[in-house]
Amino acid sequence: MDFELSDEHRLISEAAREFADREILPRVKENDRNERFDRELASKLGEVGYLGAPVAEEYGGRGLDYLGYSLIVEQVGRADSAARTVVSVQTSLVCGSIERWGSEEQKREWLPRLCSGEALGCFGLTEPDAGSDPSSLRTRATKTDDGWSISGQKMWISLANYAEVALIFAQTDPELKHRGLACFLVPTSSDGFSTQEIHGKLGLRASDTGEISLDDVEVPDEAMLGEVGDGFKVAMSSLDSGRLSVAAGCVGICDGCVQASVEYAKERRQFGVPLARFQLVQEMIAEMIVKRDAARMLVWRAADLKDRGLPNTAETSVAKLYATESAVECANAAIQVHGGSGYVDDYPVERYLRDARVTTLYEGTSQIQKLIIGRDATGINAMTPMEAEETAGARS
Ligand SMILES: Cc1cc2nc3c(=O)[nH]c(=O)nc-3n(C[C@H](O)[C@H](O)[C@H](O)COP(=O)(O)OP(=O)(O)OC[C@H]3O[C@@H](n4cnc5c(N)ncnc54)[C@H](O)[C@@H]3O)c2cc1C
């Protein structure tokens, strides 16, 4: 066992840190204040290869392993969770699904443009009445002579208003429950496809979030990702990668909290000495460091399992649960270290708290992660009160 990064991984991390400091940090405050989705920054992320880092080079990616990908996401997440959301959604949920489940034509059509940032994609799983239980989704795909007609509503979809292609999960046969789900690659310019921005979010204000309406959207048979019945597997395999990405971004938040708090505690003086001189302030910083380091190790473990092709669903949930809850706790403590100054956006810590808060909700809430971990440990599915056969449809 070696806890040191290889030279290659260290370089990946350092390059990502420099990029984040140079290109992302200067924009963060204004974008957050103005709830502005920074499309130009999304293009820059693509230009440096951060939108499809683990995608194979022949499809426009960088062919990196998951550890390398996690290191990039940590640095982007330290700088800005809205930019990190672009990386996570585009890479793990959209490109990852297409690369894993797509036909050769679908990969060639979409992956190069998505990896370069020329086009953005979104992942349309959640609906107004289907969140933790996606098997109950109501968007309906009906067979037509030359393809499918899709109608329904999607809710809380990141990048919905800027995406050129949407992965839409739809039910082909309600009697089959999760076994009837299919996933379609739907161009957002299709007739009957419309979006609406969602505003008023606690955090992630510079991230685009929207509702999607599908009104008899016609797509050809070739738009399906995988086959009828694969939709649930497409969603769950994407979330396995997405959760790692969210967790890595949260390590970045924890690290940002440590850095900001150490700097502030050494600079700010009270009672004639720097705050860092007080044991109670050091205690807050020490606890942040423990959480950051533990979260990072859990992320690296999950990434390593993925890189070796070993089962990792429970370990990924452990990393996601711990890193996201730690990010919330670290950000809260970092505000405390900053006193009143931590409550306004002159320092990054109040944004860290607002942005961290959603990470315990999306890509499976903390409760869902605990149920996955508990199921793995006991072999008993406690996700729903129904029979195990039926419950295979929960967001696991
Ligand atoms: C900013 C933002 C961006 C998002 N981006 C996307 C996106 O790009 N694509 C997408 O498809 N979705 C996206 N989502 C949706 C997100 O994944 C869902 O909000 C999440 O899965 C939770 O679903 P819900 O909101 O319907 O909550 P619910 O499922 O209604 O859960 C509410 C509460 O009940 C608890 N609960 C539910 N079921 C159980 C159970 N079996 N046992 C114990 N407790 C339970 C939950 O843990 C939670 O505390 C986004 C959400 C937000 C806020």
Side-chain angles (χ1 to χ4, degrees):
M1 191 176 289
D2 185 357
F3 289 102
E4 288 296 309
L5 292 177
S6 67
D7 287 347
E8 190 199 345
H9 282 124
R10 209 170 26 248
L11 280 177
I12 291 170
S13 176
E14 282 167 11
R17 175 178 283 274
E18 277 166 30
F19 175 85
D21 288 349
R22 189 181 65 247
E23 300 289 347
I24 305 179
L25 275 182
R27 303 162 176 255
V28 177
K29 193 158 116 180
E30 286 312 307
N31 284 340
D32 180 66
R33 276 191 177 178
N34 298 320
E35 290 194 30
R36 174 174 178 268
F37 177 72
D38 195 335
R39 182 62 181 86
E40 192 194 13
L41 178 58
S43 297
K44 281 180 192 272
L45 289 165
E47 280 161 26
V48 286
Y50 291 174
L51 294 185
V55 174
E57 287 176 85
E58 61 173 312
Y59 299 119
R62 284 179 62 185
L64 292 188
D65 58 10
Y66 276 97
L67 180 56
Y69 172 46
S70 304
L71 295 170
I72 291 171
V73 175
E74 176 185 329
Q75 293 305 330
V76 175
R78 177 183 57 84
D80 179 19
S81 291
R84 198 275 305 151
T85 299
V86 177
V87 176
S88 298
V89 169
Q90 182 93 339
T91 308
S92 288
L93 302 185
V94 179
C95 291
S97 303
I98 297 174
E99 189 177 34
R100 203 170 300 115
W101 294 92
S103 64
E104 195 54 30
E105 292 73 40
Q106 288 169 331
K107 291 185 205 178
R108 300 240 169 254
E109 181 180 0
W110 290 109
L111 288 177
R113 296 182 58 235
L114 290 166
C115 291
S116 70
E118 187 188 333
L120 294 178
C122 67
F123 183 82
L125 180 64
T126 306
E127 300 186 353
D129 293 324
S132 299
D133 176 17
S135 63
S136 64
L137 65 80
R138 291 194 196 150
T139 295
R140 187 82 164 87
T142 313
K143 191 77 192 88
T144 60
D145 287 345
D146 45 4
W148 296 84
S149 172
I150 308 173
S151 289
Q153 285 284 121
K154 296 290 171 182
M155 186 71 184
W156 307 119
I157 308 303
S158 303
L159 311 184
N161 302 290
Y162 289 83
E164 223 176 276
V165 62
L167 267 69
I168 295 293
F169 294 85
Q171 182 56 264
T172 61
D173 181 351
E175 300 225 322
L176 292 177
K177 305 220 163 129
H178 70 279
R179 291 190 196 83
L181 295 183
C183 177
F184 297 88
L185 285 168
V186 182
T188 56
S189 57
S190 307
D191 285 344
F193 189 104
S194 60
T195 64
Q196 203 174 353
E197 293 180 8
I198 295 176
H199 289 287
K201 289 178 299 198
L202 172 69
L204 274 193
R205 292 188 180 159
S207 175
D208 176 61
T209 314
E211 280 181 60
I212 297 177
S213 298
L214 300 115
D215 188 9
D216 286 330
V217 175
E218 304 272 346
V219 291
D221 287 322
E222 299 77 58
M224 193 182 287
L225 207 51
E227 294 172 9
V228 174
D230 282 345
F232 193 74
K233 289 184 253 173
V234 174
M236 294 310 123
S237 60
S238 316
L239 289 173
D240 245 1
S241 164
R243 284 171 187 158
L244 180 77
S245 192
V246 172
C250 285
V251 175
I253 293 179
C254 296
D255 193 36
C257 291
V258 171
Q259 280 179 36
S261 301
V262 168
E263 254 171 53
Y264 189 80
K266 285 164 76 173
E267 202 178 275
R268 167 90 174 157
R269 297 175 75 86
Q270 286 295 285
F271 299 94
V273 293
L275 296 181
R277 174 71 184 70
F278 301 117
Q279 291 180 353
L280 292 178
V281 173
Q282 284 206 9
E283 184 197 38
M284 288 192 274
I285 293 173
E287 283 177 356
M288 282 183 229
I289 291 171
V290 171
K291 285 175 186 147
R292 176 200 61 191
D293 288 1
R296 189 180 275 146
M297 289 298 132
L298 291 172
V299 167
W300 288 7
R301 177 179 72 165
D304 176 61
L305 290 170
K306 285 185 201 298
D307 286 332
R308 289 191 288 139
L310 297 171
N312 61 78
T313 297
E315 289 81 359
T316 301
S317 286
V318 171
K320 202 257 179 191
L321 174 65
Y322 188 80
T324 57
E325 295 288 350
S326 293
V328 174
E329 289 161 15
C330 285
N332 202 27
I335 292 176
Q336 200 66 21
V337 171
H338 283 69
S341 299
Y343 199 65
V344 289
D345 67 3
D346 294 342
Y347 293 92
V349 290
E350 61 84 39
R351 178 172 48 80
Y352 281 145
L353 182 63
R354 289 187 285 106
D355 287 352
R357 193 61 192 81
V358 75
T359 63
T360 71
L361 300 173
Y362 65 15
E363 308 230 5
T365 63
S366 287
Q367 287 72 31
I368 294 297
Q369 306 310 322
K370 285 178 187 169
L371 291 164
I372 293 169
I373 297 163
R375 182 184 60 192
D376 185 70
T378 63
I380 296 169
N381 188 344
M383 202 92 68
T384 79
M386 290 184 275
E387 292 303 312
E389 175 101 319
E390 293 294 313
T391 58
R395 197 179 270 260
S396 52

